[in-house]
Amino acid sequence: PVITVEAGDMGRRTLWVVVVLMGLSSLAFYGMAFRVPVQKRLFHILTAFITTFAFISYFAMATGDGVSYNTYTETIHHKKVPNTYQDYRREIYYARYIDWAITTPLLLLDLCLLAGLSGANILVAVVADVIMILTGLFASFGSKSSQTWGWYAWACIAYLVVVYQLAFNGRTAVANKDSKTKAFYASIAGFTLILWTIYPIVWGLSEGGHVINVNQEIIAYAVLDILAKPVFGFWLLFTHDSMSSTSPSL
Ligand code: RET
C-alpha cells in the first residue's frame, strides 16, 4: 500500500492566512506607490508586484491548485523484519516555485538597485537565481535520492552565485553611495541572506529528506515568505521614502 503524505486542516488554514496577508500588503504597497513622486516609485511597484505574485500563488495552493504528488520509496527498519520497503506519495506545492521564479528576481532587483549594482552583475544575480529555483523544482520531483540531491546541489551552487553578487559586488557598489544608504544596504541585504539561507534548510527537511510533515512544511515556508516579502517590503519602502538621495538609476 502507498502512504499519502498531505496537508491537514492546520496547513490549509495557514495557506489562507497567507493569502489574506499577501493581499492586504499588496494593497498597502500600491497605495504607497501613488503617494510618492514618480522618481521614487520603482521600488514601490517592484515590491507590490512581489506580494501580488505571492497572493496568486498562495490562492492557488489554498484552493488546491498548484499541487501535485511525488512518489518515492523508503526503507523502514523494523526490529523483526530488517529491510521493509514502503512507497509514499507526498504533496508537492509546485506553485511555490512559479512564485519564487518570478518574485526572487524582483526581490534581487530591489536590492541591486538600492546598491547601484552594474547591469552585468544584476543580470548574473537574476539568472543564477532563476537557475536556483528551476533546479530546486526539479529536485522536488526527483524520485531517486541521487536525482533529488543532484539537482539540490546545482541549486545550492547557483545560490552561492547570488550570495556573491549581494555580499561582495553589492557591497563594492554601495561604497560609492551616502552613509545612510550604505548602512541600510548592509542591514537589509544581511537580513535577506540569513532568511534566504533558511529556505534550502527547510527544503532539505521537508521535500528533500521527509523529516517534517506537510503541515510543518507549509508553516515554515509561510513564516519565511511573510518575512521575505511583506516585512522586507515595508522595511524597504518606509526607509526609502525617508531617504532623499537614493532614486534608482533606471
Ligand atoms: C531551494 C531548494 C534547492 C536549494 C536552494 C533553494 C533555495 C531557495 C530560496 C528561496 C527563496 C525564496 C524567497 C521567497 C520569497 O517569498 C529552491 C529551496 C538553495 C533561496 C525569498
Side-chain angles (χ1 to χ4, degrees):
V2 179
I3 296 181
T4 299
V5 187
E6 58 192 352
D9 288 344
M10 185 74 172
R12 278 188 289 268
R13 266 199 293 272
T14 306
L15 291 172
W16 278 114
V17 170
V18 183
V19 171
V20 173
L21 289 177
M22 292 297 180
L24 291 176
S25 36
S26 302
L27 292 176
F29 294 146
Y30 287 117
M32 288 168 77
F34 282 111
R35 289 157 186 260
V36 292
V38 69
Q39 296 86 341
K40 279 194 166 193
R41 204 172 281 162
L42 184 55
F43 285 112
H44 295 67
I45 293 298
L46 273 173
T47 308
F49 285 166
I50 290 166
T51 49
T52 303
F53 279 113
F55 169 78
I56 295 169
S57 120
Y58 268 95
F59 188 85
M61 295 190 286
T63 55
D65 278 318
V67 191
S68 182
Y69 287 92
N70 180 21
T71 51
Y72 55 92
T73 306
E74 260 171 23
T75 317
I76 314 286
H77 296 286
H78 280 299
K79 287 204 182 83
K80 288 181 186 156
V81 202
N83 279 320
T84 311
Y85 295 99
Q86 175 64 57
D87 291 324
Y88 294 92
R89 54 202 290 273
R90 182 181 172 112
E91 274 183 327
I92 301 285
Y93 287 78
Y94 69 84
R96 289 187 195 296
Y97 297 88
I98 302 177
D99 166 349
W100 294 349
I102 296 165
T103 58
T104 53
L106 298 179
L107 286 163
L108 285 179
L109 218 47
D110 263 339
L111 291 171
C112 291
L113 294 175
L114 180 70
L117 212 64
S118 70
N121 285 340
I122 294 179
L123 199 60
V124 171
V126 165
V127 169
D129 179 272
V130 172
I131 291 176
M132 168 184 86
I133 301 299
L134 294 184
T135 49
L137 174 63
F138 289 137
S140 292
F141 283 101
S143 50
K144 300 192 298 263
S145 72
S146 55
Q147 208 175 30
T148 301
W149 298 107
W151 284 120
Y152 183 82
W154 289 120
C156 288
I157 293 169
Y159 178 54
L160 293 179
V161 175
V162 175
V163 172
Y164 177 79
Q165 292 300 334
L166 291 184
F168 293 94
N169 293 337
R171 188 179 277 260
T172 311
V174 85
N176 303 318
K177 300 233 171 170
D178 59 295
S179 60
K180 211 177 163 197
T181 309
K182 259 185 270 194
F184 180 50
Y185 179 77
S187 2
I188 198 160
F191 171 79
T192 301
L193 290 181
I194 293 170
L195 207 58
W196 285 34
T197 303
I198 306 175
Y199 281 86
I201 298 173
V202 170
W203 193 94
L205 294 174
S206 57
E207 287 159 282
H210 315 127
V211 177
I212 61 174
N213 65 34
V214 176
N215 279 352
Q216 291 163 328
E217 170 191 325
I218 290 174
I219 292 166
Y221 281 137
V223 171
L224 290 173
D225 286 348
I226 287 164
L227 291 171
K229 286 177 173 135
V231 172
F232 171 95
F234 281 114
W235 186 17
L236 177 74
L237 297 188
F238 280 129
T239 311
H240 185 251
D241 283 359
S242 72
M243 297 200 297
S244 51
S245 57
T246 53
S247 25
S249 48
L250 280 182

